[in-house]
């Protein structure tokens, strides 16, 4: 894929992460499905208060995210490099749809949250091969620091005067996605997961088409 497409799709995936994080925050009472720093802090606070029964859910989400990162990264390693993005996106889509289906069937078990956290862990492997600035991950703390650093460089004329724009777009993508996720959950409940599944599935199809289109033509083999 070309660099502009990688960055554009990465921003869309960052928005998707914000969307499911806001959905999870509302549904799970302050926990997240992609922001594991928040869940880790919650886990520690609950542990300090000896609220062992309440530690189960944040611990489960952290384990699911970690397992998703292992599985998504493993898939990215095993498939041919040019198929990494469509393969991981298709896998992510299936996990979100599994979470939706199982969550609707047994909402009291938290299966939707588990599978979506698994999907978000996998998403970070989508653009793992892209060096330098990239979006598409499920966290923006680093991007926010980089934004401040690049603003300082622009103000002191020691760096690109517009170099901060990319990191600002990453943060804004998460913010806007979270706004949409919270609103969608208020309107549609768990069915709001249809939107991120459609986004990741659509990107999987588009990127697969791009890979096929860019494939070199088969060599002409003379008849024997």
């Amino acid at each position: 894929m070309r660099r502009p497409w990688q960055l554009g799709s990465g921003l869309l995936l960052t928005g998707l992460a914000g969307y499911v994080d806001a959905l999870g925050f509302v549904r799970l009472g302050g926990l997240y499905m992609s922001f594991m720093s928040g869940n880790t802090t919650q886990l520690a606070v609950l542990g300090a208060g000896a609220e062992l029964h309440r530690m189960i859910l944040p611990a489960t989400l952290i384990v699911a995210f970690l397992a998703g990162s292992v599985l998504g990264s493993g898939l990215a390693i095993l498939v041919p490099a040019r198929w990494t993005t469509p393969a991981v996106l298709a896998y992510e889509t299936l996990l979100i749809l599994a979470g939706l289906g199982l969550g609707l069937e047994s909402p009291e078990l938290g299966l939707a949250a588990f599978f979506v956290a698994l999907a978000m862990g996998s998403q970070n492997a989508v653009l793992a091969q892209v060096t330098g600035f990239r979006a598409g991950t499920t966290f923006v703390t680093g991007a926010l620091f980089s934004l401040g650093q690049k603003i300082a460089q622009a103000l002191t004329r020691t760096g690109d005067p517009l170099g901060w724009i990319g990191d600002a777009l990453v943060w804004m993508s998460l913010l806007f996605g979270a706004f949409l996720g919270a609103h969608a959950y208020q309107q549609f409940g768990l069915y709001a997961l249809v939107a991120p599944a459609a986004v990741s599935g659509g990107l999987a199809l588009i990127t697969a088409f791009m890979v096929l289109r860019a494939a070199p033509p088969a060599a002409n083999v003379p008849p024997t």
Side-chain angles (χ1 to χ4, degrees):
M1 291 190 296
R2 295 180 179 179
R3 182 69 168 176
W5 168 258
Q6 290 173 331
L7 297 180
S9 58
L11 290 173
L12 189 58
L13 289 172
T14 299
L16 185 154
Y19 181 101
V20 300
D21 242 355
L23 192 156
F25 186 87
V26 176
R27 183 176 179 85
L28 302 175
L31 294 175
Y32 305 89
M33 290 189 284
S34 74
F35 179 54
M36 292 302 124
S37 296
N39 288 344
T40 301
T41 302
Q42 291 269 34
L43 181 66
V45 171
L46 293 171
E51 300 181 70
L52 301 182
H53 65 288
R54 294 183 58 195
M55 295 174 65
I56 295 174
L57 184 54
T60 300
L61 293 172
I62 293 168
V63 170
F65 186 91
L66 178 61
S69 68
V70 172
L71 295 172
S73 298
L75 180 61
I77 292 169
L78 294 175
V79 302
R82 64 196 184 102
W83 285 103
T84 294
T85 297
V88 177
L89 283 170
Y91 175 61
E92 178 182 354
T93 303
L94 292 175
L95 289 174
I96 295 174
L97 289 175
L100 173 59
L102 293 171
L104 291 173
E105 184 69 22
S106 303
E108 70 282 355
L109 297 181
L111 292 172
F114 177 85
F115 276 90
V116 176
L118 200 65
M120 291 297 99
S122 302
Q123 179 175 298
N124 291 282
V126 170
L127 299 175
Q129 76 277 21
V130 181
T131 57
F133 164 78
R134 65 183 175 95
T137 58
T138 60
F139 44 85
V140 296
T141 303
L144 199 60
F145 171 77
S146 181
L147 171 61
Q149 190 176 47
K150 290 175 182 176
I151 290 175
Q153 291 172 351
L155 292 174
T156 57
R157 298 184 180 180
T158 58
D160 186 347
L162 300 179
W164 54 271
I165 292 178
D167 292 304
L169 288 175
V170 172
W171 180 79
M172 291 175 64
S173 295
L174 190 84
L175 176 67
F176 186 60
F179 172 82
L180 292 178
H183 184 70
Y185 184 73
Q186 291 172 359
Q187 298 295 318
F188 307 110
L190 202 56
Y191 284 102
L193 284 174
V194 171
V199 170
S200 58
L203 286 176
L205 291 174
I206 293 170
T207 52
F209 175 76
M210 293 173 67
V211 169
L212 291 172
R213 188 177 180 184
N220 292 324
V221 179
T224 56

